[in-house]
Amino acid sequence: MSLEPIGLITIAIGLLCLPLGYRAMLIAFICLTVLGSAAAVLVGSNNIQPAHLFLVFLAFSTLSWRANADAAIKSISPPAPGFWLFCFLVYGVLTAMFWPRLFAGSTTIIPLGASEFEGKQVPVGPISSNLTQSIYLTAGVICFAVTSAISTSRRGFDAVVTGLLAYTVANIIFALLDLVTSASGTEFLLEFIRNASYTMHHEESVGSMKRIVGSWPEASAFAGTSLGVLGFTGTLWVCGRKPGLTGPLALISLILILISTSSTGLLAAPLIMAILYITALNLAINNNCSKHTSLILILSPPILLFASMIILLNNDIYGVLFSYVDTLILNKSNTDSGMERSSWNAYALQNFFDTWGLGVGLGTNRTSSFPLAVLSNLGIPGAIFYLLFLLSAFGVTRAQRPTYSADTRMAADTRMAARNGCLSLIVGGLVSAPTVDQGFMFYVMAALACAMPDESDATAAAGMAKR
């Protein structure tokens, strides 16, 4: 086991944030989740990322307050949406422990995170990623509970929003640094955050275009997380919340997604824009239009029509765009990567049927689509738990926008933005997610989408008095 330089920096940040309180700790934690290619601690071939290490500081700082600990437990207790997420976790850990042995030899898998097999097909059985994926999913649920507890106060709720906006800025900065260091031949400057034992793809390109990876191992991971912040900041802009900040952040994130050369980004970005347009339309129908809502409703159709006409009538532009889309999407299935991902999904689907719909266990096999990851790992019971969580967390009643006060409207708009951010991450996961775990950003935004801060400031104050 070795503590890396980025790990020392993570510990230093945690110690500095301790006297500042759990809200400052949460903002730092959210920002650290951007370091997807970094390992704070290396344990053999396994990585402990900075955010996972920092979660220890965040949990200690938050749950040491009795009111926060009670709120965290309440967030994963019935009838809260987090209860179904907790059931998803418990069932997942049980399958990781027993399913690989129960179904040993009954089907063939593409193992996840098992370097000794080098990605080859092997009979199902226990592997190291059964443990690591259980740890990751447990950390995700802890993240959800802690964020939920902090979000019960108005200041905590605002801290989560601040953290998400800071994360978006950091994600953009790392993407730009990736482009600049690649163009100048100074990629070594980012090696300290590219020290994980994953296979890194930061030097790849498509034609003359650099594949943007930012602080992530590959372009699809960068595009996937950028889809989430696009949905979040784009919705805030549509609702007229901090438009001078959220608008530019959403636009820059969209541009980076489109030029990242990630098929995940290119396929999902139009769907995210459709989600934003439907959100604006829904606000207009319910007489909750801001000037930004009106702007997107009025200008989007003519801009789309005008841009389509320019592309279709200009042979040079059409040729460049068609070649780009053909390489990354239309011809993707014929590439080595596309065929490999297709084979993962084919084996995953077979695993689902070979185990009578129960799955091969959390962390056992690798896929390239989130629904298949859930079905092939956790089977129908796991899928039911996850769907119940989605319905309870992001249902229509939680998306309503009250009109009786400015504070409640702002909170409702923010919850809607977090919901759209989660949906955007799920859309990206439909294309390329290799595992059941969706990352800390999903759990942070899911907790924010479920938060009701307008009811709990008194509770938070009472908790501080008891400290």
Side-chain angles (χ1 to χ4, degrees), residues 176-191 194 202-203 210:
L176 297 177
L177 286 175
D178 181 32
L179 292 173
V180 170
T181 55
S182 176
S184 61
T186 56
E187 296 97 329
F188 64 90
L189 294 175
L190 296 179
E191 286 182 358
R194 292 172 174 166
H202 61 276
E203 296 180 347
K210 164 78 169 64

Side-chain angles (χ1 to χ4, degrees), residues 245-324:
L245 175 63
T246 57
L249 289 180
L251 179 60
I252 295 171
S253 296
L254 175 61
I255 293 172
L256 290 173
I257 289 169
L258 294 178
I259 67 173
S260 66
T261 73
S262 166
S263 56
T264 299
L266 283 180
L267 283 169
L271 297 177
I272 308 308
M273 300 309 293
I275 290 175
L276 295 178
Y277 191 83
I278 292 171
T279 299
L281 190 62
N282 181 61
L283 291 175
I285 292 173
N286 290 285
N287 297 318
N288 286 315
C289 264
S290 68
K291 62 181 180 180
H292 302 89
T293 306
S294 302
L295 195 64
I296 195 172
L297 288 173
I298 295 172
L299 295 183
S300 293
I303 289 175
L304 183 60
L305 179 62
F306 184 66
S308 300
M309 289 177 61
I310 291 177
I311 293 171
L312 293 174
L313 295 176
N314 189 303
N315 290 331
D316 292 337
I317 296 177
Y318 175 81
V320 171
L321 290 178
F322 180 81
S323 177
Y324 186 65

